Amino acid sequence: MSDFTTSTSTAPADVVRRQYLASAAGDLVALRATLAPDVEWTEMAGFPLAGTYRTPEGVTSNVMEKLGQDWDGWAAHDDTYVVDGENVVVLARYTATHKGTGKPIDVRVAHHFVVRGGLIVRFEQFTDTALVRDAMTP
C-alpha cells in the first residue's frame, strides 16, 4: 500500500491503516478523522481503560490521551490484516513502558474494526489484560 493510496482510499483496510499511522504519529486530529461521529470504541474488560467510548473526541480523550499519560512510547504495531467486507481484524502487538513502575510490555492483541462509508463505526479490543496489569503493578 502506498501512502497515497492509504491516504485517500475508503477501503476498510486502508481506513484502519490510516488510524494506526495517525496513532503512531500522535496525530489525534488525523485519528479522529478516521472515526464516525457515532463510533463505538470498546476497550476490553480487565484492560486499564475498559469500557465503551463514543464520538471521535471521546475516543481520543479517554483512550489515546490517557495511554500517553500513563505509558512511555505506547505503540500498536499492526502486523496482519484479515478483511471480510466491512470487517477488518488486525493482529498486532502493544509495546510501551509504564511510567509509574518502569516495567515494559510487549503484548499480542487483536483488534476488530467495522468500517462503513470510509469511517470506523465500531472497534473492539482483545488482549491479555493480565500482562498489562502486571506492568502497572509495583
Side-chain angles (χ1 to χ4, degrees):
M1 279 187 251
S2 73
D3 287 337
F4 176 75
T5 301
T6 56
S7 69
T8 58
S9 171
T10 59
D14 294 339
V15 173
V16 169
R17 179 70 178 140
R18 269 199 307 279
Q19 179 272 150
Y20 283 108
L21 291 171
S23 180
D27 187 344
L28 298 184
V29 172
L31 193 153
R32 284 190 292 268
T34 67
L35 304 176
D38 60 347
V39 65
E40 289 186 9
W41 186 281
T42 301
E43 298 286 318
M44 188 169 180
F47 192 71
L49 304 173
T52 299
Y53 304 95
R54 291 174 173 80
T55 78
E57 294 75 18
V59 170
T60 56
S61 66
N62 289 298
V63 179
M64 288 72 182
E65 290 178 19
K66 289 196 174 164
L67 288 171
Q69 291 169 3
D70 296 338
W71 299 85
D72 281 322
W74 183 272
H77 309 274
D78 50 327
D79 299 328
T80 303
Y81 284 64
V82 180
V83 181
D84 180 16
E86 64 186 13
N87 293 283
V88 180
V89 174
V90 180
L91 304 179
R93 180 174 299 284
Y94 289 148
T95 59
T97 301
H98 191 263
K99 291 180 179 179
T101 65
K103 294 180 183 178
I105 59 167
D106 187 344
V107 184
R108 291 298 286 163
V109 61
H111 291 154
H112 174 218
F113 295 87
V114 178
V115 180
R116 288 188 194 121
L119 295 172
I120 296 165
V121 296
R122 205 162 48 244
F123 166 87
E124 188 174 4
Q125 169 204 55
F126 302 90
T127 192
D128 187 337
T129 58
L131 292 176
V132 178
R133 272 196 318 273
D134 289 349
M136 298 172 66
T137 304

